[in-house]
Structures are given as structure tokens and as C-alpha cells.
Amino acid sequence: MPPRWWDPIMSRVIAVMACGFMLAACSATMPSLDFLKSTPQPEALAIESEPPGAEAKTSLGESCRTPCKLSVQPGSEFSVTLALSGYQPQTVSVRPEAEGAAAGPRLAPNPVHVDLRPAAPPKKPVAKKKPVAAAARPAAPPPMASAAPTPAPTAATPAPTPAPALAPAPSAPTEAAPSATNYPWPSR
């Protein structure tokens, strides 16, 4: 057994060391106690659309094709946008909803169900009516060859020169290009 004089000294050393540790603990930054808090568990969010096959994108960055389920944290409000070719895109707001302390937060609405509306067909451009052209003039008949026989050339009469070929008359009148003198009235 050790001598009795050792006990009072040892108790003082232990007391000084304990004070030193407490002083060091007060001056150092305390680690956060966040590890004691429970984090909300991810929740499965079901997304459905009519017709199925729409692209569902959340504002949190996740996406899938309907019908599908996404795992999301029910921390704050977010939105889900559903889009399908030929239909108008629709956005639904999803928010956390507390159902008692033991149950934890839940998402509302869950499941998200959207009836997509068909997109309006694109309007056809209205065709502008063309201005009514002047009444068409009857086409001039093509020049006819004379029915009388031409006399054979003789030494006294020179041979007749053939008439130049005439260009065929246009079948419909053409309008002249617009100019300062006849615009906007058609030519005659």
C-alpha cells in the first residue's frame, strides 16, 4: 500500500488538470450538435399524367417519364412541370405537410396527377386575295396565210419576199411593272 501522503497531492493534480481541460474547452470552438438532429427521410413522390409518357421535371433538378416515382427530400416547397408533345405543359406546386410529430413531414399532393390539355392547333395564315385583274381580252387570232395562190416568179416580176414571222399574241394581258405613273392601277 502506498504512503498516505500521496493521496492529497494526487487529488490536487487531478483537480488542476480538470480545470485546465474545462478552460481549454471554453476557449475552443464547440463542434455543432447537428449530428443529434434527425434528418427527414426522403419520400417517394408518385407522378401520373393522362395521357401517360409526359416528361416530369422538378425544380430540384430530378426528372422522369410518367407514370413514375421520384425520391425527394420534404424540406421545402418545390414544383413539378409536366410536358408532352402536342399538349400544353402544366406545373404543380408540391409542399411539405406535417402529419403529427411522430410521422414527420409528408408531401402534398402525393400522388401528383395531371390531365394534360391538347395544345391549340396552329392557326393557318389567312391567304390574301389577289386583286381582280382587268377583264381578259379575247386573244387575237393568229395571222392566216392567204388562200390565193402566189404567182410563180417570172423574169419580169421578181420573187416576193416572205413576210417576217409574227410573234404569237399573248393569250392573257400582262400587267406592266409598277411605276410612278401607273401604280396602283393595272395597265390596260
Side-chain angles (χ1 to χ4, degrees):
M1 198 162 193
R4 299 281 289 150
W5 60 272
W6 185 261
D7 287 338
I9 295 175
M10 191 57 141
S11 62
R12 287 183 186 158
V13 169
I14 291 174
V16 169
M17 287 181 65
C19 288
F21 282 126
M22 284 193 285
L23 185 61
C26 290
S27 65
T29 58
M30 291 288 292
S32 95
L33 299 176
D34 288 340
F35 65 91
L36 295 177
K37 294 180 183 176
S38 64
T39 58
Q41 295 298 318
E43 185 174 341
L45 175 67
I47 305 171
E48 304 166 351
S49 70
E50 185 59 42
E55 178 74 21
K57 287 187 178 183
T58 68
S59 58
L60 303 173
E62 299 174 357
S63 65
C64 64
R65 289 236 178 249
T66 61
C68 61
K69 289 187 179 185
L70 293 175
S71 178
V72 294
Q73 290 286 1
S76 62
E77 187 171 336
F78 61 94
S79 63
V80 178
T81 302
L82 288 97
L84 181 63
S85 179
Y87 293 87
Q88 295 176 352
Q90 292 188 17
T91 302
V92 176
S93 180
V94 179
R95 63 194 176 288
E97 187 176 83
E99 292 183 0
R106 297 284 176 214
L107 298 173
N110 193 2
V112 173
H113 182 82
V114 175
D115 290 327
L116 296 171
R117 287 180 256 145
K123 292 185 179 181
K124 294 181 181 177
V126 177
K128 295 181 180 177
K129 293 185 178 182
K130 295 181 181 178
V132 178
R137 292 184 219 140
M144 298 210 290
S146 64
T150 56
T154 60
T157 62
T161 58
L166 297 175
S171 61
T174 59
E175 291 188 26
S179 68
T181 58
N182 67 356
Y183 185 77
W185 300 277
S187 63
R188 297 184 183 210

